[in-house]
């Protein structure tokens, strides 16, 4: 429901990405958060992921990435900063109570800063190292860092439903980060597998994913 061409909030997304990253682009986090609180947004589709970004776009997002978020003259980049801003507007994503709020922010930063980098290294090596004779050794060297973070996270989550008790932006980002974990690596931690399933079964997540995929479906290049 929240995709609405007349909405005051604007979220950038790509018109097209290669199939293997469909559903994995980070505007999804922003769409998901807005779906959770029922805030409408309009999409600003900026072309293909590999296209050079125009200077006007780089003025908003210096690294030429998505997402960018605009609302009433405010322009934000970095999904974490955007989610904090959205959370400020609704305690269903960011509790007002200082302790629970601090936990939610801590888990969100942990997802972005402690867990995601270990997984990104593996992803970069799997793409950039494809068919290179050093790939296996490089991935073997990087994998223990990701495995250690997952084990630590599994221990911290324990048998709780969400990291801070109730669902927050911390869970939203952590679950999106964990979606990139290879299935057999995640399977070592049944509680993390169940956590990701719980998050991605939320109707708001399902609507956000559907909206992102719909943008690609209507804009895919003919020769793709
Ligand atoms: N730290 C940024 C990362 C954003 C990001 O990685 N965006 C990717 C798509 S998921 C992108 O636009 N990549 C294109 C590029 O780096 O040129 C955030 O969380 O917003």
């Amino acid at each position: 429901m929240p995709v609405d061409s007349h909405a005051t909030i604007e979220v950038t997304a790509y018109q097209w990405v290669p199939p293997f990253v469909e559903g994995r682009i980070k505007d999804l986090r922003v769409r998901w958060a807005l779906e959770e609180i029922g805030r409408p947004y309009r999409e600003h589709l900026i072309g293909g992921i590999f296209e050079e970004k125009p200077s006007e776009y780089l003025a908003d997002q210096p690294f030429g990435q998505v997402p960018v978020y605009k609302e009433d003259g405010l322009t934000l980049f970095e999904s974490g900063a955007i989610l904090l801003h959205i959370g400020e507007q609704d305690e269903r994503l960011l509790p007002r109570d200082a302790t629970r709020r601090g936990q939610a922010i801590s888990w969100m930063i942990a997802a972005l800063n402690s867990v995601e980098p270990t997984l990104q290294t593996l992803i970069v090596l799997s793409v950039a190292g494809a068919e290179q004779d050093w790939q296996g050794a490089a991935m073997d060297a990087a994998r223990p860092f990701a495995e250690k973070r997952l084990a630590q996270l599994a221990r911290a989550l324990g048998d709780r439903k969400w990291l801070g008790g109730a669902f927050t932006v911390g869970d939203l980002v952590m679950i999106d980060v964990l979606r990139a974990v290879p299935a057999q690596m995640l399977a070592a931690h049944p509680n993390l597998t169940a956590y990701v399933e719980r998050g991605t079964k939320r109707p708001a997540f399902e609507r956000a994913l559907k909206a992102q995929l719909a943008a690609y479906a209507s804009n895919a290049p003919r020769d793709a």
Side-chain angles (χ1 to χ4, degrees):
M1 177 278 285
V3 179
D4 172 352
S5 56
H6 301 295
T8 53
I9 294 174
E10 177 184 286
V11 179
T12 58
Y14 291 117
Q15 273 177 330
W16 182 81
V17 298
F20 74 98
V21 288
E22 283 183 358
R24 310 222 165 248
I25 303 295
K26 294 182 176 68
D27 55 285
L28 184 72
R29 298 171 182 177
V30 180
R31 295 175 187 266
W32 184 3
L34 293 169
E35 290 281 359
E36 287 284 347
I37 61 171
R39 297 249 359 231
Y41 64 92
R42 63 180 193 272
E43 296 168 316
H44 177 209
L45 302 180
I46 62 162
I49 188 168
F50 300 124
E51 287 172 25
E52 280 299 309
K53 312 297 188 304
S55 54
E56 311 88 73
Y57 191 74
L58 296 176
D60 290 338
Q61 215 299 1
F63 309 110
Q65 299 177 317
V66 310
V68 165
Y69 175 101
K70 295 193 179 192
E71 181 183 10
D72 293 334
L74 175 74
T75 299
L76 295 172
F77 66 99
E78 285 294 334
S79 59
I82 296 167
L83 291 179
L84 275 185
H85 170 76
I86 296 171
E88 294 291 349
Q89 301 167 28
D90 198 304
E91 61 183 326
R92 283 174 290 178
L93 289 176
L94 191 55
R96 301 248 159 81
D97 168 77
T99 302
R100 292 177 50 228
R101 178 188 188 80
Q103 279 180 346
I105 294 172
S106 298
W107 278 118
M108 192 188 82
I109 303 284
L112 295 170
N113 211 24
S114 295
V115 180
E116 187 164 50
T118 63
L119 300 169
Q120 287 280 9
T121 306
L122 287 175
I123 292 168
V124 168
L125 289 172
S126 71
V127 175
E131 294 172 34
Q132 303 296 321
D133 55 8
W134 47 261
Q135 185 186 40
M139 291 193 69
D140 286 348
R143 197 174 296 109
F145 291 91
E147 286 172 345
K148 180 178 176 186
R149 283 290 180 267
L150 293 180
Q152 290 168 322
L153 178 64
R155 193 179 59 224
L157 178 66
D159 57 7
R160 277 178 299 158
K161 194 170 171 192
W162 309 113
L163 286 164
F167 182 84
T168 69
V169 284
D171 297 294
L172 190 154
V173 179
M174 191 65 85
I175 287 163
D176 192 45
V177 165
L178 293 179
R179 289 176 66 235
V181 179
Q184 82 266 32
M185 195 186 271
L186 198 64
H189 306 289
N191 67 336
L192 292 185
T193 304
Y195 175 59
V196 173
E197 273 174 23
R198 216 159 28 246
T200 54
K201 279 198 175 124
R202 290 175 76 87
F205 174 86
E206 289 175 348
R207 288 194 298 269
L209 182 62
K210 196 170 163 195
Q212 186 186 71
L213 297 179
Y216 304 146
S218 50
N219 292 294
R222 287 210 185 90
D223 57 356

